[in-house]
Amino acid sequence: MVGRTGAGPAREQPGADRELRLVSDDGYPDWEAVYRDNVSWVFALMFAKVGNRPDAEDLTAEVFMAALRPLRVSASVAEVRAYLRATARTVLAGYWRTRMGREITTIEDDIVDDRPDPEPPDPVSAARARAVLDRLPDRYRRILELRFLQGLSVRDAAHALGVSVANAKVLQHRALQMAAQKSAGGVQ
C-alpha cells in the first residue's frame, strides 16, 4: 500500500521497495493497479463503518474478492470506483444483517442522488417505533436515537454518550435486542 505504512489489509515489510504507479483516468493496466489504487479508501470506509481493524480487513478483502470476477479492468477509473463503492455497500449490508439481523449501514455517495425523496413514514409505524423507544432504558433509547434517527456513526454516538466505541456497540446490540422483544410483545 502506498503512503500508509502499516494501515490497511496489505502490510509491507520495513525497508521494502515501494513502487509508485501512475494510473490514468482512462483505466487501469491490470488488476493489481485496481487494488493498489483503491485498497486504502475501501479499508478506511470499512474501518469507519465497523470500528475495528480485523473486521475492516476482512470486509475489505471481501469487497475485492466479490469485485474480482465481474469487474472489467478495462473500465474507467470512475466506473471501477463506483463499482467498488456499490460492492462495499452490499458487503456491509451483509455484515450487519448477519451481526444484527438488520441492514443498518449506509455509505454516503459523493455523487448527487437523482432518486425522488422517500415517502414520509407511516404515522402508525412512527408512533409504534416511538412507543418502543420510550419503553427502553435511557441509554438504550439514546444509542438507538443517535445511530438510527440522527444517523451518527458508532464512533460519533460513543463520543456523544461519553463511552468507548466497544461499549457503544454493546449498547446498540442490547438495545436492538430489547427493542425487538418489546416490539414483538405487541406495543400499542
Side-chain angles (χ1 to χ4, degrees):
M1 187 168 13
V2 178
R4 292 179 55 176
T5 305
R11 290 189 171 83
E12 296 179 7
Q13 298 297 325
D17 291 333
R18 294 188 184 149
E19 184 179 322
L20 296 176
R21 296 177 188 215
L22 179 63
V23 178
S24 72
D25 286 338
D26 296 336
Y28 293 98
D30 56 24
W31 178 252
E32 184 177 337
V34 170
Y35 178 80
R36 286 182 183 266
D37 190 46
N38 294 288
V39 70
S40 295
W41 73 261
V42 172
F43 173 78
L45 173 68
M46 294 301 173
F47 187 80
K49 295 298 181 181
V50 299
N52 68 74
R53 179 177 296 280
D55 285 345
E57 289 175 353
D58 290 346
L59 292 170
T60 299
E62 193 174 330
V63 167
F64 281 96
M65 292 303 293
L68 180 63
R69 207 172 226 171
L71 184 61
R72 294 176 295 114
V73 177
S74 62
S76 72
V77 172
E79 290 171 324
V80 167
R81 289 184 179 157
Y83 187 80
L84 288 172
R85 182 172 286 275
T87 303
R89 184 180 297 116
T90 302
V91 167
L92 277 169
Y95 171 83
W96 286 117
R97 187 174 37 254
T98 58
R99 285 290 196 114
M100 307 298 262
R102 301 192 194 296
E103 294 179 25
I104 58 173
T105 302
T106 59
I107 298 175
E108 294 80 20
D109 288 325
D110 297 334
I111 302 168
V112 175
D113 189 358
D114 292 337
R115 292 178 292 180
D117 290 337
E119 292 184 29
D122 174 27
V124 174
S125 297
R128 187 168 183 238
R130 177 48 56 194
V132 169
L133 284 172
D134 289 343
R135 293 184 61 202
L136 295 175
D138 288 342
R139 290 174 66 79
Y140 287 0
R141 178 184 41 76
R142 187 72 180 130
I143 188 71
L144 294 181
E145 288 173 343
L146 291 170
R147 289 286 289 130
F148 305 116
L149 297 182
Q150 295 181 22
L152 296 182
S153 67
V154 173
R155 181 177 301 143
D156 292 340
H159 181 71
L161 291 172
V163 299
S164 68
V165 171
N167 191 333
K169 288 180 181 181
V170 169
L171 282 172
Q172 177 179 305
H173 177 72
R174 290 179 182 166
L176 285 171
Q177 285 181 326
M178 185 177 282
Q181 290 170 351
K182 300 225 184 257
S183 177
V187 175
Q188 302 295 322

